Amino acid sequence: MTKLIPFLMLLVPAVATAASTAPPPSIFSPSGLGFYGGVVIGSAEFYPALAMGSKAEGVLGYGGGAYVEFRLFSFLFVQSTMLYENRVFYMHSTDSISAIKNTYKFKYLDFPLLLKIKPDWTWQPYLFIGPSLGALIAATMDLTAETRTTTAGVTIDVKPSLRPSLLSLYFGGGLNIPIAHPVGLFFEGGLSRGVLNISTAGGSTKISAGRIFGGLSFSL
């Protein structure tokens, strides 16, 4: 036993020195990932105002995707996300003879890059903000006209009159609840605010979306 004492006296300082000089974890190593889905409430603003008005009312759509996050500090993360969503909104006008309703359905593949603040607590509330670049997959308008005696409708492809990309600012917050390590359950809500005109047919059209999602998270 006495022969081990000199050895331990050399070993302990060596281990302590190695631990203190060990490089920190690389920020390029993922610290978590998740999968989620939920509802999307689309909206749009037009300038100059169309005959029906300057704003379109939101309708429930849907969306879902996956994310991976990278730790920068103990509470600060960068999150890269891929999201498919269907944004739906409508405009309508009514007079004494007829009622006309335009329902727009825009499908996007969206790629938010978010700065995420999440404390190292058991239940983890978090906030996020960042830019989001969307790629337009499809865009249609359902035009419906109703009179007292008849109803007629037609679907129009409006994708050629829109830009293929969408730039937005996405911000919001949520709560991650652990279930059994490394799995957690999370809920979040946010607003994706369109910042650039997407119309190529004159005037300005900016679309936004409110999102309410839930899903599963996995710590790595």
Side-chain angles (χ1 to χ4, degrees), residues 64-143:
Y67 73 84
V68 58
E69 65 180 18
F70 303 84
R71 184 188 298 271
L72 299 182
F73 301 103
S74 60
F75 63 92
L76 190 62
F77 300 79
V78 170
Q79 178 176 305
S80 178
T81 307
M82 182 179 69
L83 170 68
Y84 170 83
E85 65 177 5
N86 184 22
R87 300 186 181 190
V88 184
F89 46 89
Y90 73 92
M91 302 185 71
H92 64 89
S93 65
T94 303
D95 56 32
S96 59
I97 300 176
S98 64
I100 299 176
K101 181 177 180 180
N102 292 347
T103 302
Y104 299 87
K105 300 177 181 179
F106 292 176
K107 297 180 180 179
Y108 278 94
L109 193 60
D110 211 22
F111 299 92
L113 182 63
L114 306 175
L115 188 65
K116 189 174 183 180
I117 300 174
K118 182 173 64 173
D120 190 15
W121 299 344
T122 302
W123 285 38
Q124 295 177 305
Y126 58 88
L127 299 173
F128 59 82
I129 188 171
S132 181
L133 182 63
L136 182 63
I137 300 174
T140 60
M141 180 186 72
D142 296 337
L143 172 60

Side-chain angles (χ1 to χ4, degrees), residues 140-164:
T140 60
M141 180 186 72
D142 296 337
L143 172 60
T144 303
E146 297 182 3
T147 66
R148 296 176 181 177
T149 57
T150 62
T151 299
V154 62
T155 297
I156 302 172
D157 182 10
V158 296
K159 184 178 179 181
S161 64
L162 301 175
R163 300 185 189 279

